[in-house]
Amino acid sequence: MKQKAKPRIALLREKAGLTQLELSRLVGVTESTIQNWESGRTGTDHIERIVRFCKALNCQVEDLIEYMSESPETSGAPPSSLSQIHNLLGTENPAPTLSSNAEVAPTQHATSS
């Protein structure tokens, strides 16, 4: 009888110190997708396939993908530390907010008469 895999995503996410929202942004899915994966409501068949790939090829997950740099200043590799993840998400230092008195100058466009 085939045994259904139980996702360990919540345990690993909490161990990494990430919220569901932070993980969803890193993975590129919605927060509700993370919730569904963690609860087992939606299957993790794709993860099981990746595990089978790695076993068959005797490799690590990272070996399956060649990371390409999207911009000159990025190394192209995924974040390797929690501080890098927080830096990418902008969750280390709160973003500055405009005061209620601040005004944004409207853009002026030249018009011909």
Side-chain angles (χ1 to χ4, degrees):
M1 175 178 12
K2 184 178 177 186
Q3 187 177 11
K4 177 130 175 87
K6 181 178 177 188
R8 296 181 56 213
I9 298 168
L11 173 72
L12 295 169
R13 175 185 54 78
E14 290 168 1
K15 187 177 177 181
L18 295 170
T19 65
Q20 289 178 334
L21 180 60
E22 290 169 332
L23 181 59
S24 72
R25 289 179 177 167
L26 286 170
V27 175
V29 297
T30 64
E31 186 176 9
S32 62
T33 298
I34 297 294
Q35 293 167 351
N36 288 335
W37 286 346
E38 288 185 357
S39 69
R41 280 191 294 271
T42 54
T44 53
D45 295 339
H46 53 286
I47 296 173
E48 291 180 63
R49 281 189 209 107
I50 292 169
V51 169
R52 287 195 299 269
F53 261 112
C54 291
K55 285 182 180 178
L57 299 172
N58 193 29
C59 69
Q60 299 295 313
V61 173
E62 293 83 7
D63 298 332
L64 296 174
I65 305 294
E66 180 180 349
Y67 290 97
M68 303 298 290
S69 179
E70 292 179 11
S71 63
E73 65 273 358
T74 61
S75 66
S80 61
S81 70
L82 187 55
S83 64
Q84 286 179 338
I85 291 168
H86 283 294
N87 186 32
L88 287 170
L89 293 173
T91 55
E92 279 185 319
N93 298 321
T97 57
L98 293 174
S99 68
S100 59
N101 296 335
E103 292 183 21
V104 176
T107 306
Q108 295 181 359
H109 296 283
T111 57
S112 55
S113 319

